[in-house]
Amino acid sequence: MTFTVISTSVVPVTVVSLPTQAGAAVLIEQDSDGSLSSVCTGCGEYAWTLRVTRSFAQEHADTCIRPPRPAAA
């Protein structure tokens, strides 16, 4: 019997990292399907929309005042 492993995980690739005033970062990531998302390492805000652009993410980076969250253990 032969098994084929099919991975369903999608690992986004960070294409831009924008610093916030509190030392966190807003990461713009591209998924394997080409769509873009952004996530803030400070407050945790996540956005996946057709409107995710550098300026969209920069607006959040300019206003977020939460420091980077500790890495999950």
Side-chain angles (χ1 to χ4, degrees):
M1 181 179 279
T2 303
F3 292 96
T4 302
V5 177
I6 300 173
S7 175
T8 58
S9 66
V10 176
V11 179
V13 175
T14 300
V15 293
V16 176
S17 178
L18 305 169
T20 68
Q21 57 186 324
V26 176
L27 307 174
I28 299 177
E29 300 174 330
Q30 185 169 27
D31 296 328
S32 61
D33 66 358
S35 64
L36 296 176
S37 61
S38 67
V39 64
C40 179
T41 64
C43 71
E45 179 182 88
Y46 175 82
W48 181 89
T49 174
L50 296 175
R51 295 178 44 188
V52 170
T53 61
R54 183 181 175 99
S55 61
F56 177 89
Q58 186 67 57
E59 182 178 329
H60 182 79
D62 290 344
T63 60
C64 186
I65 58 171
R66 299 197 75 188
R69 293 177 294 160

